[in-house]
Amino acid sequence: MNKKPVMKIVGTGHFLPDNVLTNKDLEKIMDTTDEWITQRVGIKERRVIGDADLSTSDMATAAGKAAMEDAGISPEDIDCIIVATISPDMNFPATAIFVQKNLGAVNAAAFDISAACTGWIYAMTVAEGYIAAGKFKNILVIGAEFLTSLADINDRATYVLFGDASGAVVVQPADGENGMIGSYIKSNGDLAELLWSYGGGTKVNKKVSDQEICFDKNGNDNRAKVRMEGNRVYKYAVRAMIESAEKAMEDAGITEDDLTFLIPHQANLRIIDAIAERVKMPDEKVMRNIQYVGNTSSASIPVALDQAIKQGRIKKGDVVLTAAFGGGFTWGGLVIKI
Ligand code: UT7
């Protein structure tokens, strides 16, 4: 029935910082309510780096280590490290480089992918290409985000949404029916302004005159903070998630009847419900952890995947659909037979 996979997942891991920021905590620092956040988004609390001495690469390293241990391989076995992130440690070198150093993955190539919340899905398709070409045997695919560092405390419409986290998988060449059997990735640059971090890059560094976007009333430099037209993003998000699901299933040669589990990008409980309804997945077969972790962008799906496996909700042979959308606009989906 379905396509033969090129690559399979042999280990998963994730990392969440210890600090918990609840909606009640947010009520104390901005004009918001637990009720608004719960009803509109579904988040109750999120994990944040806060005052901990941690970076994106530290979180990526922890998730990568956990996935390697799960896979039973050592750092020397890793041929390539791909980190999907929009909150890198620095412009360059890539966050993946620090992960390579931290892990002692002395035989690995390492680079980042920037595709916002769809980043980990994009990274998985890149890993698949390397494995199909026979280039690499063990690839660490990580999604890691320190998104709270990009959130603007003066913007309650975005600040309440984000959390910090990382998730990772080790992938290897498939040797049977189990593995990634379908994928779909897409983009639309016409929608870039709906969701972006405007500053920080070479283009915008020149444009410091753009005072309104760059500086808040206290003179703080906000050029790198996230800006979003939430309402418009929401509308495109639902469409993008449904298209991703349909196209990834089509690529896999399956229908929704063949699916046994759904892991949507955790951006909004209402968006998760919409995609679950479209693929007719009952509640117990849908991963929802947004209540506890918030939106962690490219870390969202690998964190949820690891949790679902470790909680025994996903078992060997399950056919899992993942779908995501994010800034760019980017969107995409994967079908993975575990
Ligand atoms: O991973 C991709 C990231 N992007 C997303 O996930 C975004 C997708 N979009 C969404 O999830 C929703 O659009 C949001 C949750 C961001 C916003 O929900 P909404 O139902 O679209 O609300 P809205 O932006 O239309 O705002 C409705 C009201 C406004 O007040 P008025 O103008 O009606 O008086 C906002 O000022 O809610 C107000 N509001 C808040 N109130 C309390 C906005 N943020 C907050 C807040 N607390 N944190």
Side-chain angles (χ1 to χ4, degrees):
M1 130 212 100
N2 51 255
K3 246 175 43 179
K4 267 216 169 306
V6 165
M7 137 185 136
K8 63 177 179 181
I9 294 175
V10 295
T12 59
H14 79 275
F15 174 84
L16 291 167
D18 290 336
N19 290 326
V20 177
L21 182 69
T22 66
N23 292 348
K24 290 283 175 200
D25 295 331
L26 288 171
E27 281 181 356
K28 290 178 204 143
I29 56 171
M30 63 180 51
D31 180 18
T32 191
T33 59
D34 173 45
E35 193 192 1
W36 190 94
I37 302 170
T38 306
Q39 281 179 3
R40 301 274 177 141
V41 203
I43 300 170
K44 296 300 279 185
E45 60 187 44
R46 65 288 289 141
R47 297 295 193 92
V48 300
I49 285 185
D51 54 10
D53 185 18
L54 283 172
S55 63
T56 302
S57 64
D58 292 330
M59 292 194 295
T61 302
K65 211 166 165 212
M68 275 173 16
E69 276 167 19
D70 197 37
I73 61 166
S74 54
E76 298 78 29
D77 297 327
I78 298 288
D79 303 307
C80 181
I81 299 169
I82 310 175
V83 175
T85 188
I86 49 164
S87 46
D89 283 9
M90 50 188 78
N91 273 345
F92 79 91
T95 300
I97 290 294
F98 299 108
V99 177
Q100 183 271 333
K101 173 181 177 303
N102 294 344
L103 290 175
V106 290
N107 298 311
F111 61 94
D112 289 358
I113 279 189
S114 172
C117 305
T118 325
W120 183 79
I121 285 178
Y122 269 65
M124 286 290 277
T125 66
V126 172
E128 184 189 39
Y130 281 136
I131 286 180
K135 182 107 183 132
F136 296 132
K137 286 208 163 62
N138 285 298
I139 306 180
L140 196 49
V141 187
I142 304 173
E145 301 287 6
F146 184 1
L147 270 188
T148 57
S149 67
L150 300 180
D152 183 354
I153 198 156
N154 299 309
D155 180 10
R156 65 177 180 172
T158 55
Y159 193 84
V160 303
L161 303 176
F162 302 118
D164 304 324
S166 63
V169 298
V170 176
V171 294
Q172 289 178 351
D175 49 10
E177 297 294 316
N178 303 82
M180 198 166 108
I181 56 175
S183 66
Y184 175 72
I185 49 173
K186 196 81 194 292
S187 71
N188 180 358
D190 285 339
L191 305 176
E193 292 174 28
L194 294 192
L195 176 50
W196 66 5
S197 163
Y198 183 77
T202 52
K203 179 175 178 183
V204 183
N205 278 350
K206 285 196 307 191
K207 239 178 143 186
V208 281
S209 57
D210 207 342
Q211 297 289 324
E212 227 170 84
I213 292 178
C214 297
F215 300 100
D216 67 21
K217 57 182 184 308
N218 301 317
N220 296 316
D221 184 347
N222 280 329
R223 275 175 290 178
K225 301 296 186 195
V226 174
R227 302 287 167 224
M228 177 168 73
E229 284 188 42
N231 245 306
R232 291 184 64 202
V233 169
Y234 188 96
K235 282 178 201 135
Y236 284 108
V238 176
R239 271 185 247 163
M241 292 282 266
I242 289 172
E243 180 183 313
S244 300
E246 286 170 349
K247 297 280 188 183
M249 286 191 290
E250 188 184 314
D251 187 46
I254 65 166
T255 70
E256 61 234 24
D257 296 337
D258 301 305
L259 293 176
T260 57
F261 204 82
L262 174 67
I263 303 183
H265 168 45
Q266 308 286 310
N268 187 313
L269 216 44
R270 291 181 288 150
I271 299 174
I272 296 172
D273 292 344
I275 180 73
E277 193 184 329
R278 164 60 190 85
V279 297
K280 303 192 191 89
M281 200 61 74
D283 270 357
E284 68 276 12
K285 296 287 184 188
V286 181
M287 190 60 184
R288 292 179 176 88
N289 65 1
I290 186 174
Q291 303 92 317
Y292 316 108
V293 299
N295 182 345
T296 61
S297 189
S298 64
S300 169
I301 291 174
V303 168
L305 175 67
D306 184 44
Q307 288 182 332
I309 291 173
K310 301 285 158 62
Q311 290 163 6
R313 296 185 63 193
I314 294 180
K315 297 198 177 54
K316 187 112 180 127
D318 267 328
V319 180
V320 178
L321 171 72
T322 74
F325 67 94
F329 233 58
T330 61
W331 64 102
L334 304 175
V335 179
I336 304 165
K337 191 165 184 185
I338 299 296

